[in-house]
C-alpha cells in the first residue's frame, strides 16, 4: 500500500499541496526517460540474477546417519575397523540422535544438497525437474517459460528505451518516433512484469507440491525462502515502477501536450459542433453590448373572456405634438375683431 502511494505521488505531484518548486523539479527529473531506462535495466539485472540463482528456497532434510567410511569419521554410525572405537558393534543412539540434518537450496533449474558422506563440506546438485512429480511437470515447464519471457520482454524494453535516448540526444527533430518507442517499451515492461509475477507464483506452487509428493530422498524437514526469492519480487516491483514511469512520460508528452500543439484545429472547426475553443486567459464580459428587451406578449382581444379594460387613469386624450405652446383665443383680440 505504501509503495502504491509513493508511485501515485511520484507521477501525480499536484496532489501535494505543499510542493515547493524544488520538489516539483525533483519530481520532474524523476519522471525523465533516463530514469525509466535505469529502472528497466535494474529490473532486468535483478530478474536475471534471481532466474539463474539456485537460492530461491533453503531448508534442512532429516536423513538417517550414514555408516562411517574412510572419508566420513564424524557424525556417522560406527563400523568395526573404520571408526575410532573398533570394538563398538552397535549404536545405541535414539531419537533425533540417529539422524543428520543436511542443508539444501533450490532454484528454478537445479537443487543442491549437502553431501553427508564426507567430512569436508561439499554439495551435490541435480536438476529440479527430476524431483517434480509427473502431475506437476506441465506447470513447472510453464513457469520456466513465463520466467524466460519475463526476462526477454525486459530485454526488448531496455533496447527500445536505449534507442529512444539515442534519438533524443542525436536526432531531436525526430522526437515523435522516440515517443512511439517509449509507448512500446511501456507495454513490454508492464506485460513482462505481469508474466514474471505469474511465473513466480506458479514455481512456488510446484515447489510445495514437490516437497509433499516428491521422491523419498527429497523430504525437507523444514524450509523457507532464500535471498533470490526476495530479489525476484524486488525486480518485479522495480519493473512495474519502470512501466508506470515510462507510460507516464508518453501520456504527458504525447497524449496531453501533443494534440494541443499539432492538432491544427481552428475556431471554425469548433464552431461546427457548437463549441468554442478554450480561452488562453480570462476575458471580461463586454459591457458595451446592450441587452435586447424581450418582446411584449400579444394583446388580448376585447371579445375574450379574459380581457380586462385598462383603468380610467390611464385613459388620456391623444394630443398632437406642437413645437410651441398654444394660447387661448381672446374675443377682444384685434385680429379677431375684424
Amino acid at each position: 500500500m505504501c509503495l502504491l502511494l509513493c508511485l501515485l505521488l511520484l507521477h501525480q505531484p499536484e496532489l501535494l499541496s505543499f510542493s515547493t518548486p524544488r520538489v516539483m523539479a525533483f519530481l520532474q527529473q524523476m519522471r525523465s526517460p533516463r530514469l525509466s531506462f535505469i529502472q528497466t535495466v535494474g529490473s532486468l539485472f535483478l530478474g536475471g540474477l534471481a532466474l539463474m540463482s539456485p537460492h530461491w528456497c533453503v531448508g534442512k532434510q532429516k536423513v538417517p546417519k550414514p555408516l562411517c567410511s574412510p572419508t566420513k569419521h564424524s557424525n556417522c554410525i560406527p563400523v568395526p575397523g573404520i571408526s575410532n572405537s573398533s570394538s563398538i558393534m552397535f549404536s545405541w543412539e535414539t531419537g533425533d540422535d540417529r539422524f543428520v540434518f543436511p542443508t539444501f537450496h533450490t532454484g528454478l533449474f537445479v537443487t543442491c544438497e549437502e553431501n553427508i558422506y564426507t567430512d569436508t563440506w561439499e554439495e551435490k546438485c541435480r536438476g529440479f525437474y527430476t524431483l517434480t512429480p509427473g502431475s506437476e511437470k506441465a506447470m513447472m515447464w510453464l513457469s520456466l517459460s513465463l520466467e524466460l519471457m519475463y526476462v526477454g520482454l525486459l530485454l526488448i524494453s531496455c533496447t527500445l528505451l536505449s534507442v529512444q535516448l539515442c534519438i533524443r540526444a542525436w536526432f531531436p527533430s525526430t522526437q515523435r518516433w522516440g515517443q512511439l518507442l517509449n509507448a512500446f517499451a511501456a507495454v513490454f515492461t508492464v506485460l513482462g512484469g505481469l508474466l514474471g509475477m505469474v511465473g513466480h507464483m506458479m514455481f512456488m506452487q510446484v515447489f510445495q507440491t514437490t516437497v509433499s509428493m516428491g521422491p523419498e530422498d527429497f523430504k525437507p524437514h523444514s524450509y523457507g525462502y532464500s535471498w533470490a526469492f526476495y530479489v525476484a519480487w524486488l525486480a518485479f516491483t522495480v519493473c512495474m515502477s519502470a512501466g508506470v514511469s515510462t507510460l507516464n512520460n508518453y501520456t504527458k508528452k504525447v497524449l496531453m501536450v501533443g494534440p494541443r500543439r499539432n492538432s491544427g484545429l481552428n475556431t471554425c472547426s469548433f464552431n461546427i459542433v457548437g463549441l468554442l475553443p478554450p480561452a488562453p486567459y480570462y476575458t471580461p464580459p463586454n459591457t458595451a453590448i446592450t441587452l435586447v428587451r424581450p418582446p411584449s406578449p400579444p394583446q388580448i382581444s376585447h371579445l375574450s373572456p379574459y380581457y380586462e379594460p385598462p383603468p380610467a387613469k390611464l385613459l388620456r386624450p391623444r394630443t398632437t405634438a406642437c413645437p410651441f405652446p398654444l394660447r387661448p383665443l381672446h374675443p377682444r383680440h384685434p385680429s379677431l375683431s375684424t
Side-chain angles (χ1 to χ4, degrees), residues 73-131:
H73 296 280
S74 61
N75 207 7
C76 59
I77 298 177
V79 176
I82 297 178
S83 58
N84 296 330
S85 301
S86 59
S87 59
I88 298 177
M89 298 296 297
F90 300 99
S91 174
W92 300 100
E93 296 177 338
T94 58
D96 289 342
D97 295 336
R98 297 177 57 249
F99 297 92
V100 292
F101 298 90
T103 60
F104 75 94
H105 53 87
T106 305
L108 296 176
F109 299 100
V110 296
T111 176
C112 298
E113 306 171 7
E114 181 183 355
N115 190 3
I116 62 175
Y117 297 101
T118 58
D119 288 334
T120 58
W121 189 87
E122 64 179 20
E123 290 182 339
K124 55 179 182 179
C125 299
R126 50 183 171 173
F128 182 74
Y129 66 92
T130 60
L131 306 177

Side-chain angles (χ1 to χ4, degrees), residues 4 15 19 27 32 35 48 75 84 95 118 125 127 133 148 172-173 175 206 227 230 233 249 253-254 272 290 331:
L4 294 178
L15 299 179
S19 297
L27 294 178
S32 62
L35 179 66
N75 207 7
N84 296 330
T118 58
C125 299
L148 293 176
S173 59
Q175 189 63 240
V206 170
W227 60 268
Y230 300 104
W233 284 105
N249 291 332
K253 294 183 179 179
V254 176
I272 291 176
T290 58

